Amino acid sequence: MADTGEVSADGRPETMSEILVLYYSRGGSVARLARQIARGVGEVPGMTARLRTVPPVSALTQPIAPPVPEEGAPYVEPADLIECVGVALGSPTRFGNMAAPMKHFLDGLGAEWASGTLAGKPAAVFTSTASLHGGQESTLLSMHLPLLHHGCVIVGIPFTEPALSHTRSGGTPYGASHVAGVTDDPQPSEEEVQLARALGRRLATFAHKLAAP
C-alpha cells in the first residue's frame, strides 16, 4: 500500500491499493500494453499500479541477468505478490503458450501457493503476437490456469466494451492483446489501447471491492 499524503475525515492518512502489473517483454510490445493497463488501473479512485518484470532465463547454469534491469520496470520480488491486491500477468506468445521466463517465474511460486498469497485476489492476463492468429487466445487461457490454482478470481473483458466488437487487431474476452505484425511494431492500435485500459479499470474495480473492509 502506498501513502498518498492525503488524510481522511478522521485524520488518518489515506492509502492507495496497488495492482501488480507483471510482465515479460522482449520486443517492447508487452511492455507498452502493460503501461496501458497500468493507466486503466490508475483511472479507478484509490487504486494505483506497480509495474514489475521477470528476469530472462537461459539453458546455461550461470546467471545471465543483472540483479537490476538496465532499463524498464524492476524485477519482481515476493513482497510484490503479498502487498498488491490484484495482479495482471503479461507475456508474448511462444507457440501458443506463455514465454519461458514467465512460466519459470510461475513454476517457482510453490511457497506462495501453499500460503495462499494470491487466494481471493482478482487477476487478468495480456499478450502480444506477431500474427493475427498466432495463438493469442490459447496463450491467455494457459496463463489463467496457474492463477486458478492459486485461487485467483479471473477477470476478463466483457462485450459491453464496444472496442471488443470492432477491433481489427488485438483484443479478446480472455484478456488484452496486441498484434505486432511482420514489422514487430510495439505500438498498440487505438482499439488495443482502449481494451487494455478497460481491462486495467475492470481489474482495479474488482480489487477495490474485494479489498474493502
Side-chain angles (χ1 to χ4, degrees):
M1 305 294 184
D3 189 344
T4 64
E6 300 178 357
V7 294
S8 60
D10 59 7
R12 293 180 301 176
E14 291 189 348
T15 57
M16 297 285 284
S17 295
E18 291 183 295
I19 298 292
L20 175 61
V21 182
L22 177 62
Y23 65 91
Y24 172 70
S25 185
R26 188 170 181 178
S29 297
V30 177
R32 293 199 182 194
L33 213 55
R35 288 193 287 271
Q36 294 299 332
I37 290 174
R39 287 181 63 188
V41 168
E43 291 171 3
V44 177
M47 304 299 295
T48 187
R50 183 184 299 193
L51 283 165
R52 294 293 186 269
T53 188
V54 297
V57 296
S58 171
L60 301 177
T61 55
Q62 62 266 32
I64 63 167
V68 179
E70 296 179 358
E71 60 181 1
Y75 288 141
V76 64
E77 296 181 357
D80 296 317
L81 297 171
I82 297 171
E83 295 170 356
C84 291
V85 296
V87 59
L89 294 181
S91 170
T93 291
R94 296 291 185 265
F95 302 107
N97 208 328
M98 72 185 86
M102 181 59 70
K103 182 65 163 60
H104 180 73
F105 170 76
L106 293 173
D107 285 348
L109 296 182
E112 287 74 15
W113 169 80
S115 62
T117 298
L118 297 176
K121 295 182 180 182
V125 293
F126 55 103
T127 191
S128 176
T129 58
S131 60
L132 185 60
H133 302 290
Q136 288 193 353
E137 293 187 348
S138 62
T139 297
L140 295 171
L141 290 171
S142 75
M143 295 173 72
H144 283 163
L145 297 179
L147 294 172
L148 287 168
H149 277 266
H150 278 276
C152 292
V153 179
I154 302 299
V155 175
I157 304 175
F159 277 90
T160 51
E161 292 294 336
L164 195 59
S165 298
H166 302 305
T167 180
R168 293 182 177 273
S169 49
T172 84
Y174 311 113
S177 63
H178 166 63
V179 179
V182 294
T183 59
D184 197 23
D185 182 4
Q187 181 61 42
S189 69
E190 180 179 348
E191 290 84 3
E192 290 169 345
V193 167
Q194 291 174 10
L195 292 169
R197 291 176 67 177
L199 182 61
R201 288 193 302 271
R202 186 170 171 82
L203 177 62
T205 298
F206 272 85
H208 183 70
K209 291 179 179 179
L210 291 173

